[in-house]
Amino acid sequence: MRATEWPASPRPPVRLLLQWGVSALREAGIETARLDAEVLLADVLGCSRAQLFARFHDSVGRREAAAYRGLVVRRARGEPVAYILGRREFYGRAFYVDRRVLIPRPETELLVERALTLLEGRPRPLVADIGTGSGAIAVTLAAERPDLRVIATDVSAGALEVARLNAERHGVADRVDLRLGHLLEPLDEPVDLIGANLPYVGTEEAKRLPRDVVQYEPHEALFAGPEGLALIRELFASLQPAHLKPGGAVLLEVGYGHGREVVNLACQQWPQANVRLHKDLAGIERVVEINFLSPATGEV
Ligand code: SAM
Ligand code: GLN
């Protein structure tokens, strides 16, 4: 049997289905072929990847085998696994995702961690998550801090529907206030913290993005002008004292190589603010933190 030939048996064992899936995905140039084949088969069989190996020699029913084949074909065409399964893990929770939203990235967990640290000791904080997408940041913060409320905004009505599903799924819908609108426009009361993972991919960088990202993820979630800084600049320009409570802060995820520039922009605009840059687990400057120590004196 050629590796990419579909197994002849009507009830092929797990082992042969995996072998077929891995080679079909390798042939399609998918770097994570083995992992993806395992994840897709485990999903169809309703088991974990580890359990798959305990069932290595068990045969699989015709209908399940056909379903698996369909999923592998979608992956081979480049569709991300998270869209195929309709979920992605973020900060230990499963989020529903589809093509209306960016797939949450592990590096964004850094922004969540910094937000939780900054909000320690602030009772009943109010947070704004600008460009909430799947709701990954907003829902996680609300789930981690039961006394926290969050205003989660997006320009995409479809994204807000996905965020609503996730807020309901994680039992925080009563504390996640979803609003449609551009940047800070939907905010009508001062918040303790503004967090945002805005689109930050520039025109040049777009050419270097993986094919799956460009083909499948929403462009309005990715691109922001020639250098990728258009929306961050606009957010800075529109930030008013009335947006933040005294001692409030802004946390922004930034693109590869953007850290210094965003820090400089913030320092120029608010010379009195305390601005910091945090690296992610890969050592990349990823989150810019701006602390307004005394906004009453007009630095914001
Ligand atoms: N917060 C999610 C996360 O971290 O996974 C999604 C981040 S995604 C990079 C950026 C989001 O910002 C998208 O959902 C997009 O629709 C939204 N967006 C784009 N332009 C916007 C704007 N002008 N105002 C508000 N949201 C915007
Ligand atoms: N991190 C995303 C990527 O890898 C970009 C997300 C964004 O623009 N905020 O392409």
Side-chain angles (χ1 to χ4, degrees):
M1 181 183 96
R2 246 187 57 223
T4 43
E5 234 166 69
W6 182 250
S9 153
R11 290 175 59 81
V14 164
R15 180 180 67 81
L16 281 188
L17 289 178
L18 279 181
Q19 191 181 315
W20 173 80
V22 172
S23 59
L25 293 178
R26 277 204 185 124
E27 211 163 80
I30 305 286
E31 282 173 20
T32 48
R34 176 158 298 280
L35 173 69
D36 293 357
E38 290 173 9
V39 167
L40 294 175
L41 187 54
D43 187 71
V44 165
L45 299 180
C47 69
S48 69
R49 271 174 66 216
Q51 286 165 342
L52 217 49
F53 295 96
R55 297 168 65 167
F56 216 49
H57 301 288
D58 295 359
S59 50
V60 173
R62 191 192 291 269
R63 204 177 306 158
E64 286 165 316
Y68 165 71
R69 185 179 191 166
L71 301 188
V72 169
V73 167
R74 284 169 67 183
R75 180 68 193 117
R77 290 194 188 120
E79 187 170 350
V81 171
Y83 289 148
I84 297 175
L85 301 183
R87 67 169 185 276
R88 172 59 133 246
E89 193 98 351
F90 181 79
Y91 215 87
R93 293 182 183 82
F95 280 77
Y96 169 76
V97 291
D98 63 28
R99 290 184 65 179
R100 291 173 290 180
V101 297
L102 185 98
I103 299 165
R105 308 287 205 263
E107 54 268 29
T108 304
E109 293 181 349
L110 175 64
L111 193 153
V112 169
E113 269 164 26
R114 283 311 303 161
L116 291 171
T117 303
L118 283 173
L119 295 170
E120 272 169 21
R122 282 187 169 240
R124 293 185 302 285
L126 178 61
V127 176
D129 174 20
I130 307 299
T132 197
S134 63
I137 296 170
V139 170
T140 302
L141 290 177
E144 292 289 321
R145 271 283 298 261
D147 64 337
L148 176 149
R149 279 194 309 128
V150 48
I151 300 170
T153 78
D154 211 290
V155 282
S156 155
L160 290 178
E161 280 174 35
V162 174
R164 184 176 51 76
L165 288 176
N166 284 316
E168 283 166 1
R169 173 181 285 197
H170 294 292
V172 297
D174 56 332
R175 288 182 291 116
V176 177
D177 181 354
L178 298 163
R179 298 187 190 173
L180 185 70
H182 175 66
L183 295 177
L184 302 175
E185 282 171 13
L187 301 189
D188 53 7
E189 59 183 309
V191 300
D192 292 279
L193 176 74
I194 295 173
N197 173 17
L198 290 168
Y200 54 59
V201 179
T203 319
E204 266 308 301
E205 204 193 333
K207 297 176 194 153
R208 294 191 295 272
L209 280 187
R211 183 176 54 110
D212 302 10
V213 173
V214 182
Q215 265 183 8
Y216 286 89
E217 298 200 72
H219 286 190
E220 65 182 335
L222 292 169
F223 301 121
E227 317 149 295
L229 289 171
L231 282 165
I232 290 179
R233 283 180 196 278
E234 202 180 332
L235 181 100
F236 281 4
S238 64
L239 186 62
Q240 300 297 318
H243 287 127
L244 286 172
K245 291 188 201 169
V250 175
L251 281 174
L252 291 178
E253 180 170 321
V254 296
Y256 182 78
H258 286 171
R260 292 284 143 201
E261 185 149 8
V262 175
V263 165
N264 290 341
L265 285 172
C267 290
Q268 277 165 21
Q269 190 163 339
W270 303 289
Q272 317 287 349
N274 178 359
V275 183
R276 299 171 65 186
L277 189 50
H278 300 278
K279 290 186 179 162
D280 65 17
L281 291 173
I284 295 170
E285 292 168 342
R286 187 58 74 185
V287 169
V288 173
E289 174 181 328
I290 310 164
N291 286 288
F292 297 98
L293 300 171
S294 50
T297 57
E299 287 88 40
V300 181

